[in-house]
């Protein structure tokens, strides 16, 4: 099951894990046609327990040559290099369903997708942090953000 998956020439997903009571999480590069040379996935280092609201952020930063995932404003995956094999046509995007069309047993409060640099360029992710801050304040999740997050105490 996945929060989202995209099918095309290459297949990508933000998938669940191996446990019915937790979301172990991974950025699924779909193995053989990997967008990161020979790497099948990028696992999150922290799981999400059942019935827990969190902010999940995935960054595909071509400008800064980065792919990584964040939970509640903290990077929780490895940072992998961006590969141009991602630049393919996506013929199908599934929300709350995986590539086999299996439904996720969970809830998503809000999803948004932004095309463009995640900040001012390079490895700057200031726009990602603004989005996290905005959503944390909107949904009452500011206590989830780390104390060093630029929007912990005030909305962007």
């Amino acid at each position: 099951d996945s929060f989202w998956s995209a099918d095309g020439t290459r297949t990508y997903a933000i998938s669940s894990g191996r446990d019915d009571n937790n979301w172990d999480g991974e950025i699924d590069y779909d193995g053989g046609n990997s967008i990161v040379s020979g790497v099948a996935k990028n696992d999150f280092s922290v799981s999400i327990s059942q019935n827990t609201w969190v902010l999940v952020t995935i960054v595909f930063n071509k400008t800064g040559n980065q792919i990584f995932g964040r939970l509640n404003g903290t990077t929780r995956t490895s940072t992998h290099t961006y590969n141009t094999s991602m630049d393919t046509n996506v013929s199908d995007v599934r929300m709350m369903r995986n590539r086999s069309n299996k439904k996720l047993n969970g809830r998503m409060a809000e999803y948004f997708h932004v095309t463009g640099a995640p900040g001012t360029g390079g490895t700057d992710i200031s726009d990602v942090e603004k989005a996290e801050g905005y959503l944390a304040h909107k949904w009452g999740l500011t206590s989830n953000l780390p104390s060093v997050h630029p929007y912990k105490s005030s909305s962007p």
Side-chain angles (χ1 to χ4, degrees):
D1 47 72
S2 306
F3 281 117
W4 59 261
S5 64
D7 285 326
T9 308
R10 303 282 191 260
T11 305
Y12 317 102
I14 303 307
S15 301
S16 164
R18 304 152 289 278
D19 187 330
D20 289 340
N21 297 314
N22 294 291
W23 184 81
D24 295 324
E26 66 186 30
I27 305 172
D28 184 353
Y29 302 144
D30 202 30
N33 63 20
S34 178
I35 58 176
V36 178
S37 301
V39 179
K41 62 183 178 171
N42 193 351
D43 288 324
F44 280 82
S45 60
V46 175
S47 297
I48 303 169
S49 300
Q50 271 187 330
N51 303 314
T52 304
W53 290 100
V54 297
L55 300 169
V56 178
T57 307
I58 308 300
V59 177
F60 291 94
N61 180 5
K62 183 176 181 180
T63 304
N65 197 28
Q66 301 174 314
I67 300 171
F68 59 91
R70 292 164 58 92
L71 293 177
N72 294 321
T74 300
T75 300
R76 297 294 188 181
T77 67
S78 298
T79 300
H80 288 163
T81 55
Y82 188 102
N83 183 303
T84 56
S85 68
M86 270 195 73
D87 298 335
T88 60
N89 294 324
V90 173
S91 58
D92 188 22
V93 176
R94 295 184 179 102
M95 300 300 299
M96 303 291 281
R97 293 188 182 267
N98 70 6
R99 293 169 302 235
S100 301
N101 216 22
K102 181 179 176 185
K103 182 179 176 185
L104 177 66
N105 186 14
R107 296 181 178 100
M108 182 186 302
E110 186 166 348
Y111 167 91
F112 69 89
H113 177 104
V114 178
T115 301
T120 59
T123 59
D124 177 74
I125 62 163
S126 56
D127 288 343
V128 171
E129 292 170 326
K130 285 178 188 174
E132 290 170 341
Y134 166 77
L135 291 171
H137 284 272
K138 178 179 179 178
W139 293 101
L141 298 173
T142 54
S143 63
N144 290 11
L145 295 175
S147 61
V148 296
H149 196 281
Y151 300 101
K152 169 84 172 172
S153 57
S154 63
S155 181

